[in-house]
């Protein structure tokens, strides 16, 4: 092991490798999408101050680890992050309903309960968001009323990298791999 941030969770991907360099934004995306090695908010002061961060493994202090800097210089996907046990929360928007009011109500209830949102999908007939487990989720659902629905047992998988979201071929290949494994895909964006 190289003792730093890995291209994937080594418990799930045995041949995951250490990432030599990451930009602050990519490191924060890893943290947001489930990497437990650091918290996204811990990077903010270092980024503001222009301080380089090196992530090391206490079990391998001699290893170089991962250098986190302003920009990694790498383009494309550098790794994959996943968060298990995610809940999809959905609020239907009735035909003719003012979607702006429903959107404000939906996110207001989540904000009131300090629930951090993941990917959001807003369609003509519903608003949905993926959220991490929270003790306050039931209160948010109650505040939204009986039309709100929550579905558990989702997972959030994210390709991490600079401009990775602009590479349609990579995204299509990732979806193909998941589909081949029998994973039903719910796309958060429309």
């Amino acid at each position: 092991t190289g003792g730093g941030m890995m291209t994937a969770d080594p418990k799930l991907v045995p041949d995951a490798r250490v990432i030599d360099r990451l930009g602050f934004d990519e490191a924060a995306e890893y943290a947001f999408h489930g990497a437990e090695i650091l918290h996204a908010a811990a990077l903010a002061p270092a980024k503001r101050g222009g301080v380089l961060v090196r992530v090391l493994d206490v079990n391998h202090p001699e290893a170089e680890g991962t250098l986190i800097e302003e920009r990694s210089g790498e383009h494309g996907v550098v790794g994959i992050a996943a968060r298990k046990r995610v809940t999809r929360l959905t609020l239907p928007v009735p035909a003719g309903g003012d979607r702006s009011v429903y959107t404000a109500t939906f996110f207001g209830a989540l904000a009131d309960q300090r629930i951090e949102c993941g990917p959001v999908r807003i369609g003509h007939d519903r608003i949905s968001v993926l959220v991490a487990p929270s003790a306050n989720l039931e209160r948010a659902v109650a505040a939204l009323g009986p039309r709100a629905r929550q579905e558990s047992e989702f997972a959030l998988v994210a390709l991490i990298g600079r401009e990775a979201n602009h590479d349609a071929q990579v995204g299509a290949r990732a979806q193909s791999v998941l589909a081949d494994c029998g994973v039903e895909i719910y796309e958060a964006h429309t």
Side-chain angles (χ1 to χ4, degrees), residues 77-155:
V77 176
V78 294
I80 188 167
R83 183 181 287 190
K84 297 184 261 182
R85 293 178 293 287
V86 175
T87 297
R88 178 170 63 182
L89 183 59
T90 302
L91 181 65
V93 177
D98 186 343
R99 194 169 31 255
S100 64
V101 171
Y102 281 85
T103 302
T105 300
F106 186 74
F107 290 106
L110 295 175
D112 288 348
Q113 297 303 321
R114 306 193 56 79
I115 296 172
E116 186 175 311
C117 296
V120 174
R121 183 177 200 172
I122 300 177
H124 73 283
D125 63 345
R126 72 181 51 107
I127 305 161
S128 63
V129 64
L130 297 178
V131 297
S134 167
N136 297 339
L137 187 56
E138 294 301 324
R139 285 193 290 256
V141 171
L144 290 169
R147 299 186 72 223
R149 298 284 178 255
Q150 60 180 344
E151 301 168 80
S152 299
E153 300 307 319
F154 279 80

Side-chain angles (χ1 to χ4, degrees), residues 1 3 18 31 43-44 70 73 77 81 87 116 124 167 179-181 183-184:
T1 180
V18 172
L43 295 172
E70 180 59 34
V77 176
T87 297
E116 186 175 311
H124 73 283
D167 192 337
D180 289 348
C181 294
V183 175
E184 183 180 344

Side-chain angles (χ1 to χ4, degrees), residues 4-186:
M5 293 190 67
M6 308 289 284
T7 54
D9 183 343
K11 293 179 225 155
L12 301 174
V13 181
D15 60 343
R17 300 175 320 277
V18 172
I19 302 168
D20 296 329
R21 301 171 90 92
L22 270 179
F24 280 106
D25 291 339
E26 292 83 20
E29 285 295 319
Y30 262 110
F32 177 74
H33 290 294
E36 297 174 355
I37 195 164
L38 59 87
H39 191 282
L43 295 172
K47 183 177 180 179
R48 277 194 308 272
V51 176
L52 299 178
V53 174
R54 187 167 299 276
V55 177
L56 300 170
D57 182 343
V58 295
N59 296 315
H60 299 90
E62 73 289 348
E64 289 192 33
T66 301
L67 179 66
I68 301 175
E69 55 195 347
E70 180 59 34
R71 288 188 157 258
S72 68
E74 298 291 325
H75 290 275
V77 176
V78 294
I80 188 167
R83 183 181 287 190
K84 297 184 261 182
R85 293 178 293 287
V86 175
T87 297
R88 178 170 63 182
L89 183 59
T90 302
L91 181 65
V93 177
D98 186 343
R99 194 169 31 255
S100 64
V101 171
Y102 281 85
T103 302
T105 300
F106 186 74
F107 290 106
L110 295 175
D112 288 348
Q113 297 303 321
R114 306 193 56 79
I115 296 172
E116 186 175 311
C117 296
V120 174
R121 183 177 200 172
I122 300 177
H124 73 283
D125 63 345
R126 72 181 51 107
I127 305 161
S128 63
V129 64
L130 297 178
V131 297
S134 167
N136 297 339
L137 187 56
E138 294 301 324
R139 285 193 290 256
V141 171
L144 290 169
R147 299 186 72 223
R149 298 284 178 255
Q150 60 180 344
E151 301 168 80
S152 299
E153 300 307 319
F154 279 80
L156 178 61
V157 178
L159 299 175
I160 308 296
R162 205 162 89 188
E163 299 178 19
N165 58 346
H166 299 295
D167 192 337
Q169 288 181 332
V170 171
R173 176 72 180 125
Q175 287 185 358
S176 175
V177 168
L178 291 171
D180 289 348
C181 294
V183 175
E184 183 180 344
I185 299 171
Y186 164 77

